[in-house]
Each structure stands twice: as structure tokens, then as C-alpha cells.
Amino acid sequence: MTLLQLQYFKTLARVLHYTQAAAELHIAQPSLSYSIKELEKELGVKLFEKDSRHIKLTVYGEQFLPYAERALDMIDEGVGVLKQMAGSAQQIVRLGYFHSISASLIPSVMMGIYGQEKNQSIRFQFTEAPSFDLFQQLKRGELDLTFCLHQDPDIESVTIMRQPLYLAVPEHHPLAKRESVCFEDFAREPIVMLDKPSSLRQKMDEIYFQHELTPNVVFEVRECNAALQYVALRFGVSVLPHVPAMGNEKVVTIPISDETSSFVRTVCLSWMKNRPLSPAARQVRDYIVEHYATP
């Protein structure tokens, strides 16, 4: 089995037309047909079958395709790493983070990294998204490193910070003048929640469950700024990390001091255990772990 055979198989599986696939691969159609037949012979199964005038993947072809794609992706990744090591490619690190650390942690990290002479050639491709989306992108190989709140057996994580949560209330709410609140103070209030995949929503659902209460959810939103907008419009309260939009004069944020529940969440730097990092990504990871990791 050769890399060319895998590339030919991947292309034909995508276009499902021998003439078009051969043209895209810049080879003669008989060469493509021969290569696919040799691959099928080696595997002992048919990868494609004819359906009237068209071809389609067999059940074996469908099963084999993701493995072929993964193998080719790993080769491409390896080539990129070698180019970086040889200095012939720009050292790009794909780094993800979520909104509530965008104005506090990220600028500090960037200043520290670029404060070291050896990091001057590193460039970043940033992705800002909810933590769950970043977690999924990391697993799909779309990110090298990400700050997130989700854990997984395939992911290596180091704790970077613990982020306190606050109660956000409308400016004239009865709790607005309080220096701090506990869960019982707002447990029965109409509440604006983040949607189900978010770690904050999972945490809040657990807290309500522990207290044997059902939250009075008036809106579900994707991100913190949207939640604050509904709070400002007096639809309810919300439990959120500190974000820049909390400067809104129509919203008051109050620390939560509660002996029965923890209103703090753990922010980690994460990367895939079994996916090699490029030298540039390793430099960035090692700097962040050395300067920001916390027990």
C-alpha cells in the first residue's frame, strides 16, 4: 500500500467519478483504475461499486475512508513540522480561547511570549469561541492548543487559573446593593442561562440539582454578552465569569460567597495526548505552563 494509492482513493471517494478524479490528480484514467484495483487486491475487499452509470463507495470503502484520511493528514502534519524545524515555514500556532479570558489572560500571555527573543518568529492563528466549541476543534485537529473548561481522556490539560463567577442583576434589582450573595438569595429568581453544551450550564444545573431545585430559566444563550443584554433588559439574573461587557451601567455584578456550592471554575491549557505538537506549539505550551500553571 502506497501513499499515492491512499491519495487516489481519497480523491475518488470524494468526486465519485474516475474521469474527474484522474483529471484532478493529473494522471491518466487507466492509471487511476489500476491503482485502485491494486489497493482493493491488497485489502481483499471492493472499495467501490458501480450503480448504473455512476460509482459509489461500498460499505468497506466507507469504513476505510476515515482511516485513509487520518493517515494522509498525519503525513501532512509531519511534513509541516519538519518544515518548521528546517526554518522553511512560518511558525504558526493555532491557539483557542473563550471570551471571558480575552481581555485578562490572553494579552498577558502574548506579552510574555514575545518578550523572549527565541519566540519572535512565532505567529498565532487565534480562535475565540465558547469552551465546548474549542474542545471539539482541538479533538478534530483544528487547534494546536486551547484554553478551555472541558476534560477528556484523550486530552492533556494543565490548570492555568481559577475563575470566580458573579451574579449579574439589573441595576435596580433588590440585590443590586449587596456586597455579596449566596445561592439561596437568587435560587428562585428568573435566570438567563448559557446553553446545554457549556461547562457553566452544566455547573449551574448540578448546583440546582444538589439543592433539589429546578431553575426558572427564561432565556438560553450561546455566550456571556448575550446573557448580559437580557439581564440589562430586566428579564432575569445570570451567573457569569467577569467579561468586559460587565461595565454596562444597567447591570450590577455581585460576588457569590456560598458555603454549600463552589462558584469558581477551572481554566486549563489543553492539547491532544497522542498528536505531536510542532516545535513552535511546544515552545508556546512550555512557556504558558512554566509561567501560569497553578496547582
Side-chain angles (χ1 to χ4, degrees), residues 46-58:
K46 295 288 289 183
L47 299 173
F48 297 93
E49 61 185 358
K50 288 186 177 180
D51 180 10
S52 71
R53 298 178 60 188
H54 302 90
I55 65 165
K56 65 178 182 179
L57 283 166
T58 65

Side-chain angles (χ1 to χ4, degrees), residues 8-25:
Y8 293 172
F9 167 66
K10 177 183 175 181
T11 301
L12 184 57
R14 175 166 54 80
V15 301
L16 294 176
H17 194 285
Y18 274 96
T19 303
Q20 292 178 14
E24 187 173 318
L25 292 164

Side-chain angles (χ1 to χ4, degrees), residues 33-51:
S33 299
Y34 176 78
S35 181
I36 295 298
K37 285 179 181 178
E38 286 298 302
L39 179 59
E40 290 177 330
K41 186 186 300 182
E42 182 174 347
L43 294 172
V45 296
K46 295 288 289 183
L47 299 173
F48 297 93
E49 61 185 358
K50 288 186 177 180
D51 180 10

